[in-house]
Amino acid sequence: MSSPSTVVPIARPTLPPVEELQQRLAHILSGTELTNGAEVARFEGEAAEVLEAPHCVAVSSCTAGLMLVERCLSLRGAAVTPSFTFFATAHSLLWNGLRPVLADCDPTTFQIDPNSVRRVMTRGCSAIVGVHLFGCPAPIDELEKLAREAGVALIFDGAHALGARWQGESVAGRGDATVYSLSPTKQMTCGEGGLITTRHAELARDLRKARNYGKGEAYDCDLLGLNARMTEIQAAIARASLARLEAAIARRRYLADLYAKRLRDVPGVRLQRIPSAAVSSHKDFGVLVERGVDRDQLMRDLAADGIETRAYFDPPLHRQKLYRPYYRPQEEALRTTDAVSRHILCIPIHGAVTDEDAARIADRITELVGAQIARSMRTPMPLTAIPA
Ligand SMILES: Cc1ncc(COP(=O)(O)O)c(C=O)c1O
């Protein structure tokens, strides 16, 4: 088969023009302050304003940010987290010696299911680590209630959630902390980076120390930290990208609406449900194909047409070698996670996707799914209607 002449990539970083950065970079490179300096402080101040966050701490990645938040909150024992997520969410727990307790997801929003959290929450749990999946907020109110009742910390992995809102407010002030990612597939990037928001002044102070090895005023450590600093060059790129965040999200929202209009009534296809309280920042656009449609064949056919897709997150954590020992099917079978991860694919949604690309992608999915259903000569069965 001949390869397509143009490919729509699954992700493409949106970066500020070089000319805009030249002066700032020249200033940094002619100085002596290369990391964790004035530019990082400026970025934190601007990000706090844009994200409506009481405190904002820049770090080297979301993974490092999660590790440091969990360390600074002195978590012990276990923490509940969804199995349907990227592995970095749970890696941060293992790095802190915490046992991941895996919760199931909701079949319509794909978010962590609060009923499952309630079921798996054991006495040894000291935290819930929720994930704002694909840029749509997790069920924040229910998770806050669960965390309050159990007296545990609530952390959000907001890797996907830059710009996401819940009940009319930015998600940045909810829970004990939210950790965003600035890696290249995100709504804004500076190469690599992370951003922690929190309403607790004391936690923000500890995090500033922890990202710098744990070093305080004196050369006498009392906190186990990391080198998780952001460089001045990253901060300069991040500041210029931050100024474009709203436009980047608006474009993603426009594409998401375009996809939704064309795909929402297609037999065999289901889209992520966005709750009425939520404003998604559309890091990803997830399409669920129902039983009777071969997801992997669909991905291969789309690839042959120059449309890149990803099966986020397949396999889910409890099916991966590192996390299998933490899977307790007799306690929580994670059936919805299994079903969703086997049937989901993410399609391109970013600044380089044109209106024509999006229309073509939606139309090809409609045709290919339709052809599969016609071939199998049966009506697709909704995922929720049959037990896995
Ligand atoms: C849900 C989730 N959490 C954490 C991360 C890790 O982010 P980073 O690469 O900034 O460490 C990612 C990366 O995409 C992610 O998807």
Side-chain angles (χ1 to χ4, degrees):
M1 193 185 292
S2 64
S3 52
S5 52
T6 54
V7 173
V8 188
I10 185 67
R12 172 71 57 85
T14 307
L15 287 163
V18 175
E19 311 77 61
E20 186 183 317
L21 285 168
Q22 260 162 354
Q23 228 181 334
R24 275 189 219 173
L25 295 183
H27 177 75
I28 293 164
L29 293 174
S30 60
T32 52
E33 194 176 56
L34 288 177
T35 191
N36 219 14
E39 197 71 4
V40 170
R42 277 186 217 111
F43 172 53
E44 289 176 337
E46 288 163 6
E49 216 162 282
V50 170
L51 298 175
E52 300 162 28
H55 305 278
C56 210
V57 181
V59 286
S60 56
S61 72
C62 172
T63 310
L66 287 167
M67 287 164 66
L68 293 180
V69 167
E70 289 154 14
R71 170 66 53 169
C72 289
L73 288 173
S74 304
L75 302 185
R76 295 277 179 276
V80 181
T81 201
S83 178
F84 190 64
T85 183
F86 187 61
F87 32 65
T89 315
H91 282 4
S92 65
L93 298 174
L94 292 186
W95 273 102
N96 276 296
L98 293 157
R99 178 169 52 88
V101 174
L102 301 173
D104 212 351
C105 69
D106 179 279
T108 63
T109 61
F110 320 143
Q111 305 285 354
I112 190 168
D113 174 0
N115 293 319
S116 175
V117 174
R118 192 173 293 111
R119 285 194 296 271
V120 298
M121 201 86 147
T122 60
R123 271 219 200 111
C125 280
S126 57
I128 299 170
V129 181
V131 179
H132 298 313
L133 201 92
F134 299 164
C136 182
I140 295 180
D141 301 329
E142 286 164 281
L143 294 177
E144 279 179 347
K145 185 164 179 284
L146 281 166
R148 208 172 31 247
E149 283 168 6
V152 302
L154 176 62
I155 300 162
F156 288 107
D157 176 342
H160 302 176
L162 274 165
R165 302 179 77 77
W166 182 257
Q167 311 274 29
E169 287 174 9
S170 162
V171 298
R174 305 301 290 265
D176 291 296
T178 299
V179 189
Y180 298 92
S181 171
L182 304 174
S183 79
T185 57
K186 307 306 184 295
Q187 297 88 333
M188 63 167 271
T189 184
C190 54
E192 297 286 356
L195 201 56
I196 308 168
T197 57
T198 177
R199 57 199 160 84
H200 305 303
E202 204 178 321
L203 177 61
R205 193 203 56 210
D206 287 349
L207 286 165
R208 286 181 203 289
K209 207 161 128 178
R211 74 176 167 190
N212 192 28
Y213 312 100
K215 184 185 167 297
E217 293 299 314
Y219 189 79
D220 184 7
C221 261
D222 57 2
L223 174 70
L224 178 62
L226 285 173
N227 177 353
R229 298 178 301 217
M230 178 177 276
T231 68
E232 291 290 279
I233 292 173
Q234 285 171 311
I237 302 170
R239 287 183 67 205
S241 299
L242 186 67
R244 290 170 169 76
L245 178 62
E246 208 181 307
I249 294 171
R251 178 65 192 162
R252 283 170 186 254
R253 192 161 297 135
Y254 173 85
L255 291 170
D257 286 347
L258 202 150
Y259 281 140
K261 274 193 200 106
R262 288 185 179 242
L263 289 172
R264 72 178 148 224
D265 296 323
V266 173
V269 164
R270 206 139 53 72
L271 308 178
Q272 183 184 27
R273 183 173 68 79
I274 311 292
S276 56
V279 175
S280 176
S281 54
H282 298 291
K283 181 329 208 148
D284 291 300
F285 194 89
V287 174
L288 201 85
V289 292
E290 302 195 326
R291 275 176 222 282
V293 179
D294 182 337
R295 187 267 320 262
D296 295 344
Q297 185 59 48
L298 176 63
M299 290 178 73
R300 282 192 293 275
D301 291 343
L302 289 168
D305 282 347
I307 299 164
E308 266 188 17
T309 58
R310 288 284 183 281
Y312 292 141
F313 294 100
D314 183 23
L317 295 188
H318 69 285
R319 300 284 173 199
Q320 297 184 26
K321 289 189 194 79
L322 185 63
Y323 291 99
R324 262 182 235 152
Y326 302 96
Y327 178 34
R328 304 259 184 285
Q330 64 286 6
E331 286 166 19
E332 190 68 359
L334 304 173
R335 284 207 186 88
T336 306
T337 298
D338 276 329
V340 170
S341 60
R342 260 188 250 124
H343 291 83
I344 199 155
L345 69 153
C346 287
I347 61 178
I349 185 162
H350 51 78
V353 177
T354 64
D355 289 18
E356 295 70 34
D357 290 335
R360 183 170 75 87
I361 292 167
D363 290 350
R364 281 305 283 147
I365 291 172
T366 306
E367 286 160 19
L368 291 165
V369 169
Q372 279 203 30
I373 292 171
R375 264 200 306 278
S376 71
M377 303 244 289
R378 44 177 202 184
T379 320
M381 283 180 150
L383 272 173
T384 44
I386 35 174

